[in-house]
Amino acid sequence: MNRSYVHGEDITKVAVTQYNDIDYASVYDFNYYRNKYENLQKAFEPEDYNGLLKHFINYGMNEGRQASSTFDVNSYRLQYTDLRKAYGNNMKSYYMHYIQNGAREGRQTTSTTTMQDITTTYIGVDYAKVYDFNYYISHNADLRKAYGLYDDYALLKHFVNYGMSEGRQASEDFNATIYAGNYVDLLDAYGGNMKKYYEHYMEHGYSEGRNAKSLMSENTSVKLSNIPIRQL
C-alpha cells in the first residue's frame, strides 16, 4: 500500500475514522471491525484503513454490523422507541443518529437484548387491550417476512390499517371471532365488519367485562358462517 509521512513519521499506521467530513469514531473501530468478521480479514489487508472504513460506511452500517465494542446498533434500536418509529429497519440511520445526536445525549448503546417501550399507540389511540406486538409478530409469518422482528411502529400501523379489518388476532386475550360469537347484540350490530369488534371491545367491552377469549357454551348456537375471517 502507499504510505504517507509527516516529519518522518509513518501516519498510515494511524487508523482513519473520518470520511467526507464525518467522523465515525463513536461507532467505528478499525481493529474491532476487522477482527470481528472473518470475511473482512480476508478481504482487507491489516493496514487498509481507508478501504475498511469505506466498507463500513457503504455496506456495514446497512447490514447492521457492529464495528465498535461501545456501540451495538441492535441494542440501540431495541432501547429507543422514538428511533424505531423514526427509522424502522433503516439500519444506517441509527448509526448516523448516534454520531450526530445520541452520543451527545448520552444514550445507551449496549446490553439491551429485548425491545423496550413497545408502542401500542397509533394516532392517539391505545390498542393495548386488543394488541400485543410479540403475539402478532409470532403468529403471522407474512408479517415477520415483511417487517422483520423489530419494527414495532410499522407492525402496529399494519394492525390498525389492515389487521383488524382482516380479523387477525393480535392478543392472546382478544379474538374477534370469539367476541362476535359470544354476543348476539354485537353480531347483529356489526355482522362482518370486523374492525368494529375490536373498537367496541376497546371502548366498551373491556370495561364491561365481556369475554373475548373463549366461547361461552350457552352461545354455541350462534352462527358465525357469515363472518369473513380466519377460522377458529
Side-chain angles (χ1 to χ4, degrees):
M1 63 181 292
N2 294 327
R3 295 185 176 276
S4 301
Y5 295 86
V6 175
H7 302 305
E9 180 182 357
D10 184 357
I11 64 171
T12 55
K13 293 183 179 180
V14 180
V16 295
T17 59
Q18 294 187 13
Y19 185 75
N20 285 347
D21 298 323
I22 298 175
D23 191 345
Y24 294 87
S26 59
V27 298
Y28 173 84
D29 175 87
F30 172 85
N31 290 316
Y32 184 95
Y33 191 47
R34 187 174 182 276
N35 292 336
K36 186 173 180 65
Y37 300 102
E38 184 177 353
N39 65 320
L40 299 183
Q41 296 172 30
K42 294 178 179 178
F44 296 93
E45 295 296 327
E47 294 182 358
D48 190 358
Y49 301 121
N50 288 315
L52 195 65
L53 176 59
K54 288 180 181 179
H55 177 277
F56 173 67
I57 295 168
N58 294 326
Y59 304 101
M61 289 196 291
N62 290 324
E63 296 169 2
R65 296 203 188 202
Q66 186 171 355
S68 170
S69 62
T70 59
F71 183 84
D72 180 347
V73 70
N74 291 305
S75 176
Y76 196 51
R77 176 172 59 167
L78 290 172
Q79 181 65 40
Y80 297 106
T81 186
D82 61 324
L83 302 186
R84 295 195 302 272
K85 181 177 179 180
Y87 306 132
N89 289 320
N90 185 341
M91 299 305 294
K92 189 170 185 176
S93 293
Y94 293 93
Y95 295 90
M96 298 310 299
H97 177 274
Y98 185 71
I99 293 169
Q100 297 165 356
N101 301 289
R104 184 180 67 254
E105 295 169 359
R107 296 213 185 200
Q108 181 178 329
T109 60
T110 60
S111 302
T112 301
T113 58
T114 58
M115 194 181 301
Q116 304 299 302
D117 301 318
I118 297 175
T119 185
T120 59
T121 301
Y122 181 71
I123 313 181
V125 178
D126 190 350
Y127 292 87
K129 293 182 179 69
V130 297
Y131 174 84
D132 176 86
F133 169 85
N134 290 313
Y135 186 97
Y136 197 44
I137 197 70
S138 65
H139 286 77
N140 292 278
D142 59 327
L143 301 184
R144 292 196 299 274
K145 183 177 181 180
Y147 299 106
L149 298 175
Y150 305 112
D151 196 345
D152 55 326
Y153 185 76
L155 196 71
L156 175 60
K157 185 176 179 180
H158 175 277
F159 172 68
V160 174
N161 293 329
Y162 304 102
M164 290 196 294
S165 296
E166 296 170 1
R168 296 205 192 207
Q169 186 170 356
S171 169
E172 183 180 3
D173 296 323
F174 182 85
N175 182 301
T177 310
I178 288 175
Y179 196 47
N182 281 342
Y183 300 102
V184 177
D185 60 328
L186 302 185
L187 190 60
D188 288 343
Y190 305 134
N193 187 341
M194 297 312 301
K195 192 168 186 176
K196 288 293 185 180
Y197 295 97
Y198 298 86
E199 293 172 345
H200 180 276
Y201 186 75
M202 291 190 298
E203 296 169 6
H204 307 288
Y206 178 83
S207 61
E208 294 171 1
R210 295 211 189 200
N211 182 357
K213 188 174 182 178
S214 59
L215 279 173
M216 298 185 294
S217 59
E218 62 266 28
N219 287 326
T220 55
S221 62
V222 173
K223 295 183 179 180
L224 303 176
S225 59
N226 292 327
I227 299 180
I229 60 174
R230 301 171 181 234
Q231 295 297 314
L232 290 174

